[in-house]
């Protein structure tokens, strides 16, 4: 199992009553409206919602890439918002992103070796044997034998392999938390299983926390410990994954569940 | 096959691509039929050949790198050879795609783009009447005729593409992943719309998708494609309930997010599963 029943320790990251307001044609629009969220080591939180729900804005706030207009973002209890730029840049390495479109996430002119080197440069803990570490990283995401892949370019990989490289790069930077924004949405169902199993393994061996942004509530139930449902900038429902999906209360959650499990009912 | 009453009857279709001297057969002798007014799915993953099959039906393959090596289409009782497939496009078989934005002209108003399709297939038609009618049919306000593609949401653009397809008065609509790029709730709306229009116009539907929940929501029969071949076919309900082929079973379990006894997500290695 993915360690579903452990009690979470103190959070790695905490968002407290966070809001982000964008001006759309002069009219203020609360894209994120009073969102509070905690993610602990070894815990997976799925953030579910459709485009425009504010889930991607929340993930960018969690990464320290977007500054909220209201509220507080705490990394191990320390505010990200009051840090000077340099400290923030260093601290936010603890949160690493994995994006939806892994094709666009890499510099196409860099080899896999160079891509991993850059991430290892960023890691606060430097390893003695770099080459060995890179091969290990690639092996750990099943791009093996790792040394065969080092000289290749991202475009030589399939979509599923590229997504696994994105995960290897994130891990190389030595994060405590991985923020994955729709990492499976382009992927075939058969690749989905591989990527999810890989994430579970990495979580168990490194006690990683995951903020997993998705519109797929079926995957959220199967993969996450807790599910948070966002609708129009607000959290409308949250709780243990089985509970939220098994017994949805909010109308929007009900709709998501109904359409996701349509073919299960048909069978 | 129920050829006697089939609207579309594809027989032994074989399509190959050549790139840098390598020949890859994408569709390996596929036969498939769709009856008038019926909704049929082809489900498969990337590389299964499902989109190539769909594009072949309407003569939309890249001319230089592809070749229809074998196969005939019977449509409404008439037989077409590969070089004639493109004459089916529009008036007989219309197609919609995953990313409507790339199929719309960015600098032309929506109304004009719909009118183009109407006139091309029926020069006598009056677009002033037909365009608002078609917009109504896809449940869009008629004012959308004055909009440009970038001003519309993804769901609205897909409705426009459907309106353009309907402008040709096709008897069969081929929809290649029509809801994949859309939000779950918008997906639902588009699927409802396709279902409703199909009944209103007694139009048949061939739906190409990787998403079993979409198959379940819309279609009566399903064909499962793996590496260029149809490995299982049957009524949608029976196939989803009691899949016969190893691959179909794996696909269903994986799509449900099922785990094995060790708590691992089910994976299916497409390359290891024998077709037969």
């Amino acid at each position: 199992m993915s360690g579903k029943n452990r009690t979470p320790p103190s959070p790695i990251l905490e968002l407290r009553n966070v809001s982000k307001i964008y001006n759309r044609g002069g009219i203020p629009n609360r894209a994120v409206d009073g969102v509070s969220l905690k993610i602990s080591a070894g815990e997976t939180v799925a953030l579910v919602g459709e485009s425009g729900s504010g889930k991607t804005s929340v993930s960018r706030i969690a990464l320290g890439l977007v500054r909220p207009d209201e509220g507080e973002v705490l990394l191990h209890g320390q505010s990200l918002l009051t840090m000077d730029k340099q400290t923030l840049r260093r601290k936010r390495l603890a949160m690493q992103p994995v994006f939806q479109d892994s094709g666009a996430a890499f510099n196409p002119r860099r080899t896999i070796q160079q891509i991993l080197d850059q991430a290892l440069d960023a890691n606060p803990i430097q390893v003695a044997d770099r080459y060995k570490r890179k091969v290990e990283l690639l092996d750990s995401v099943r791009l093996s034998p790792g040394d065969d892949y080092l000289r290749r370019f991202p475009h030589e990989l399939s979509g599923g392999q590229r997504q696994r490289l994105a995960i290897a790069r994130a891990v190389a930077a030595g994060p405590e938390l991985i923020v994955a924004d729709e990492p499976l949405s382009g992927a075939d169902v058969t690749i989905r299983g591989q990527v999810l199993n890989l994430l579970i393994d990495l979580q168990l061996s490194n006690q990683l926390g995951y903020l997993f942004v998705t519109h797929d509530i079926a995957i959220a139930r199967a993969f996450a410990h807790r599910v948070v449902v966002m609708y129009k900038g607000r959290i409308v429902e949250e709780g243990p994954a089985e509970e939220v999906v098994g017994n949805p209360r909010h109308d929007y959650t009900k709709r998501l569940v109904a359409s996701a499990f349509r073919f299960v009912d048909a069978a | 096959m129920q050829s006697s009453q089939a609207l579309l009857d594809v027989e032994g279709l074989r399509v190959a691509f050549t790139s840098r001297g390598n020949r890859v057969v994408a569709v390996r002798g596929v036969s498939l039929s769709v009856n008038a007014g019926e909704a049929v799915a082809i489900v498969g993953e990337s590389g299964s050949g499902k989109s190539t099959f769909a594009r072949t039906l309407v003569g939309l393959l890249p001319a230089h790198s592809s070749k229809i090596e074998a196969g005939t289409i019977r449509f409404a009782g008439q037989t077409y050879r590969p070089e004639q497939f493109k004459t089916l496009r529009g008036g007989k078989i219309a197609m919609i795609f995953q990313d409507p934005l790339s199929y719309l002209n960015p600098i032309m108003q929506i109304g004009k783009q719909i009118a183009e399709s109407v006139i091309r297939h029926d020069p006598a038609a009056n677009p002033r009447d037909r365009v608002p009618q078609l917009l109504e049919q896809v449940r869009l306000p008629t004012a959308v005729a004055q909009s440009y593609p970038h001003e519309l949401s993804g769901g609205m653009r897909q409705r426009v593409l459907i309106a353009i397809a309907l402008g040709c008065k096709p008897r069969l609509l081929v929809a290649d992943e029509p809801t994949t790029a859309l939000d779950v709730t918008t997906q639902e709306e588009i699927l409802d719309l396709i279902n409703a229009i199909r009944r209103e116009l007694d139009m048949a539907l061939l739906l190409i998708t990787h998403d079993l929940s979409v198959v379940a929501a819309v279609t009566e029969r399903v064909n499962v494609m793996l590496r260029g071949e149809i490995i299982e076919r049957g009524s949608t309900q029976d196939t989803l309930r009691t899949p016969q082929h190893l691959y179909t079973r794996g696909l269903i379990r994986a799509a449900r997010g099922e785990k094995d006894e060790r708590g691992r997500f089910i994976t299916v290695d497409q390359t290891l599963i024998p077709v037969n």
Side-chain angles (χ1 to χ4, degrees), chain A residues 50-51 188 197 201 222 262, chain B residues 46 183 185 188 259 264-265:
Chain A
E50 56 191 354
S51 34
D188 282 328
N197 286 337
D201 292 344
R262 206 159 35 197
Chain B
S46 25
D183 280 327
T185 46
E188 202 95 320
K259 295 180 184 165
R264 314 284 296 168
F265 282 93

Side-chain angles (χ1 to χ4, degrees), chain A residues 134-153:
Chain A
K134 282 179 280 191
V135 172
E136 262 172 27
L137 279 164
L138 291 173
D139 283 335
S140 76
V141 296
R142 321 256 145 66
L143 292 172
S144 49
D147 32 357
D148 278 5
Y149 282 90
L150 285 171
R151 255 165 314 178
R152 296 202 203 169
F153 289 90

